[in-house]
Amino acid sequence: MSRDIYQEVTDKVVAMMETSGTNWTNPMTGGAKGWPFNPVTGNTYNGLNVLFLSMAGGGAFASFKQWKAKGCKIKKGSKGERVIFFKPLDVKDRTDPDGERMIKIPMIKTYTVFSADQVEGEFAEQYQIRLDQPDETQQIAAVNEWVAATGAVINTRNEGKAFYRPSTDEIQMPPRNGFQATDTSTASENYHSTLLHELTHWTGHKSRLDRLALKNKDGYAFEELIAELGAAFQCIKLGVSSEPRADHAKYLNNWLAALKDDKKLIVKAARLAQQAVDHIEGYQSSNEQEAA
């Protein structure tokens, strides 16, 4: 893909970010999944918790104590997700000479929640992934060949979440029938876009482009910008979609918010995403030469 096309896709995505907002819909719905909520309180999660829990599969999340109160038990070996809670705290205003004036300051608390799929019990069962979902995706030969040429290890597990694990250098994907259509994309577009997003993360391994060393919050958010732009580039290149889609823009907006809406970072992320796609393309050339 020429440099002009990379720039054109980036420009379109940036323009779309101005109008698409941040209400990203997780495509890995898996039946009873969707917008993250607490099945015990009935409340929905908000802020960055929506993004974090959507990436973990979306749907029902509650704390250990809340699940236990409903007669449920966390499955052995399950790892919870950390969520952030802001609560106003009344404290004395130190600038008040009389020491009587009170002001409110935000107190940040974190706690761990578990998905319904990590829980045993009748109450949790109604919120778990259904295994009988039809596969609404289509096989795209160009994507299959593109991914296979890299030799990346891809595991399929029915857990409603996709991620790349640097420690084992493996990609985990839900099965194809774990993806459904959203308002902005088909099930097939969602599946392939997610796979190519994780493949972009894969290029950051220390044995490849060595891009994953930064582990702080902003570093993680910036890496998500790179991966999503990399997915957008590959979707156009491989014919998954003919134009950048609104879901790319919405997802990027969420992470850009974590980076204080510094739009200049999109330009930097696009450059590194292009580098990642070029790296993946190198495997295609090597395979073609070996075949010849």
Side-chain angles (χ1 to χ4, degrees), residues 7 19 49 70 80 85 88 105 125 143 146 149 184 208 219 228 232 234 239 285:
Q7 188 60 53
T19 59
N49 290 332
K70 290 293 185 179
F85 176 66
I105 62 171
E125 288 177 1
V143 177
W146 174 264
T184 58
R208 300 179 192 97
E228 191 63 10
Q234 292 173 84
S285 302

Side-chain angles (χ1 to χ4, degrees), residues 5 8-9 12 189 232 235-245:
I5 297 299
E8 181 181 334
V9 172
K12 287 182 177 180
E189 287 172 335
C235 282
I236 301 297
K237 181 181 180 67
L238 301 172
V240 175
S241 50
S242 58
E243 293 284 340
R245 303 191 310 277

Side-chain angles (χ1 to χ4, degrees), residues 42 86 93 96 121 127 143 171 175 180 182 188 227 229 239:
F86 293 91
D93 185 354
D96 180 13
Y127 302 107
V143 177
I171 293 171
Q180 295 179 356
T182 63
S188 191
L229 284 169

Side-chain angles (χ1 to χ4, degrees), residues 180-202:
Q180 295 179 356
T182 63
D183 291 341
T184 58
S185 304
T186 65
S188 191
E189 287 172 335
N190 285 325
Y191 170 80
H192 291 100
S193 181
T194 301
L195 175 59
L196 297 172
H197 176 107
E198 301 307 333
L199 189 65
T200 305
H201 281 314
W202 175 87

Side-chain angles (χ1 to χ4, degrees), residues 22 28 49-50 54 83-84 86 113 118 122-123 136 145 151-152 167 180-181 194 198 217 240 256 265 267 289:
T22 59
M28 293 171 279
N49 290 332
V50 174
S54 290
V83 292
I84 304 169
F86 293 91
V113 293
Q118 299 173 301
E122 186 176 348
F123 176 76
E136 299 177 1
E145 294 169 6
S167 61
Q180 295 179 356
T194 301
E198 301 307 333
K217 179 181 176 182
V240 175
L256 200 60
L265 290 175
V267 176
Q289 291 173 3

